[in-house]
Amino acid sequence: MPTMSLPHPSALSSALPSSHPQGPLTDEPPADPRARLARRILRSLPDAGDVDDGVPGLSFHRRDAFCPPVSVLYEPSLSLVVQGRKRVVLGTETFEYGAGRFMLTSVDLPTIAQVLDGNEVQPFLSIMLRLDLTVVREMAAEVDLHGIPVDPAGPGMTVGTVTAPLLDAIARLAELGDRPRDIPVLGRLVLKEILYHLLLGPSGVHLRQIAVLGSQSSRVASVIAWLREHHAETVRVEDLAEMAAMGVSTLHRHFQAMTRLSPLQYQKQIRLHEARRLLLTEAIDASTAAYRVGYESATQFNREYRRLFGDPPMRDVSRLRARAS
């Protein structure tokens, strides 16, 4: 794992406890969980970039400059900003959050995301924990959710305030990357603690509803998962409604409430994100990618790809590869 000497103390000023906001960090880990997270990210990312931590599902992210908006497919996850600010646009709804706030995503959602600030002295720092909904449901079965409100038709994305117990649990999970031997046992325990705080917190209303098998939100989530897995297939909304045991208009209403898209709009964006992934990871051309994700017209694919990502397919991929090199 790469290491680095810490930057000037101002780089972590927002992460340090208020009792010594400008004090230098010592070799001892600071008690404040957010400062501990900042140190952990900086050790793994001496430069701007992204890295998967040793803990399954956990990744660190650092940006040292203003970033233009980019199209991002969010999976079920908990995203926490440690330093800086971020904006995520879901359909017509905008979520903005900074240090001390988190974004909870309960289903796969195509979004437009943008880091709003960050520089080499005070970089943008965040972590993401991908959530396995099967584990969420198992945890929900262990917790008494009786009497706790759920949202039958809310968005699959929400922003909330990090409580002290949740922040401490996240910091402990991130620090397990320094102790690989502890991850298999302690990682599961700390993850359950994080899910416990999320399920019982005010921002977990929709996550709770997804966890209730048979609920309307759970059935819509199953349709979303099916579309993600079968994005290249031709589908009829009537078949999706039957899959969800709903009428077509009911499915449309709940699907749009959760994703801010219609089922067919959602499928199109999933196709384009998958095509982008194929172009980045496999030696294929744009026409081949188009057909593999379900497009019959390469011209239509190129037009819709450029509308979503800002450049034609091959130019977009070249730019992404150059940025990563």
Side-chain angles (χ1 to χ4, degrees):
M1 182 176 299
T3 59
M4 68 169 290
S5 58
L6 288 171
H8 189 275
S10 63
L12 293 175
S13 59
S14 64
L16 290 172
S18 57
S19 59
H20 53 283
Q22 299 301 326
L25 295 176
T26 68
D27 291 336
E28 293 298 321
D32 177 59
R34 189 150 56 93
R36 286 157 49 199
L37 281 169
R39 290 175 65 96
R40 182 71 181 85
I41 296 170
L42 289 170
R43 286 204 309 272
S44 296
L45 286 170
D47 300 300
D50 311 289
V51 66
D52 289 333
D53 187 52
V55 179
L58 190 67
S59 58
F60 299 149
H61 308 271
R62 171 179 174 165
R63 298 291 182 269
D64 292 350
F66 171 83
C67 298
V70 293
S71 182
V72 176
L73 180 63
Y74 271 87
E75 298 176 319
S77 58
L78 172 68
S79 179
L80 170 69
V81 169
V82 178
Q83 183 167 275
R85 291 182 304 126
K86 188 171 187 178
R87 177 185 297 137
V88 177
V89 179
L90 174 65
T92 58
E93 192 162 356
T94 299
F95 301 89
E96 188 170 316
Y97 62 114
R101 304 273 285 172
F102 67 83
M103 188 172 70
L104 181 63
T105 307
S106 56
V107 292
D108 296 324
L109 293 173
T111 69
I112 303 296
Q114 182 179 16
V115 171
L116 298 177
D117 51 24
N119 53 63
E120 292 184 359
V121 174
Q122 192 162 348
F124 171 86
L125 304 174
S126 71
I127 70 169
M128 178 175 284
L129 175 62
R130 291 178 290 280
L131 302 178
D132 184 334
L133 292 182
T134 300
V135 178
V136 172
R137 292 187 176 103
E138 291 173 355
M139 187 63 201
E142 298 181 29
V143 179
D144 182 11
L145 300 178
H146 180 72
I148 299 177
V150 296
D151 186 351
M157 180 174 281
T158 187
V159 169
T161 300
V162 184
T163 63
L166 176 59
L167 184 62
D168 180 67
I170 294 170
R172 284 186 280 112
L173 184 68
E175 289 166 347
L176 285 177
D178 293 328
R179 308 193 307 275
R181 188 177 65 177
D182 294 342
I183 292 174
V185 175
L186 296 184
R188 291 196 300 269
L189 295 176
V190 181
L191 176 60
K192 291 180 70 173
E193 182 180 349
I194 291 170
L195 292 176
Y196 175 84
H197 292 304
L198 291 175
L199 285 166
L200 293 179
S203 296
V205 288
H206 200 71
L207 189 63
R208 292 194 291 270
Q209 185 69 357
I210 293 292
V212 179
L213 290 174
S215 67
Q216 286 182 322
S217 292
S218 177
R219 284 179 279 155
V220 172
S222 296
V223 171
I224 290 172
W226 189 93
L227 283 172
R228 177 77 189 272
E229 186 71 22
H230 301 270
H231 57 267
E233 298 181 20
T234 301
V235 297
R236 299 186 318 133
V237 177
E238 290 80 5
D239 294 333
L240 297 176
E242 184 177 349
M243 185 187 307
M246 295 178 178
V248 171
S249 61
T250 302
L251 174 65
H252 259 290
R253 184 171 69 255
H254 287 281
F255 196 102
Q256 192 137 18
M258 190 177 293
T259 68
R260 300 304 191 253
L261 298 166
S262 71
L264 296 184
Q265 288 173 330
Y266 179 87
Q267 183 192 38
K268 181 174 73 173
Q269 292 211 20
I270 293 296
R271 283 178 169 180
L272 293 169
H273 278 277
E274 176 62 13
R276 194 187 209 191
R277 186 192 69 79
L278 290 172
L279 288 168
L280 282 168
T281 59
E282 301 186 18
I284 59 176
D285 58 25
S287 295
T288 301
Y291 294 130
R292 283 180 57 176
V293 300
Y295 275 86
E296 297 180 358
S297 166
T299 301
Q300 181 185 4
F301 168 74
N302 288 338
R303 181 172 60 250
E304 294 183 350
Y305 188 104
R306 182 170 187 168
R307 185 179 302 137
L308 182 61
F309 297 119
D311 279 316
M314 302 315 296
R315 185 187 303 169
D316 174 60
V317 171
S318 295
R319 176 175 53 82
L320 290 173
R321 286 175 176 160
R323 183 187 301 171
S325 62

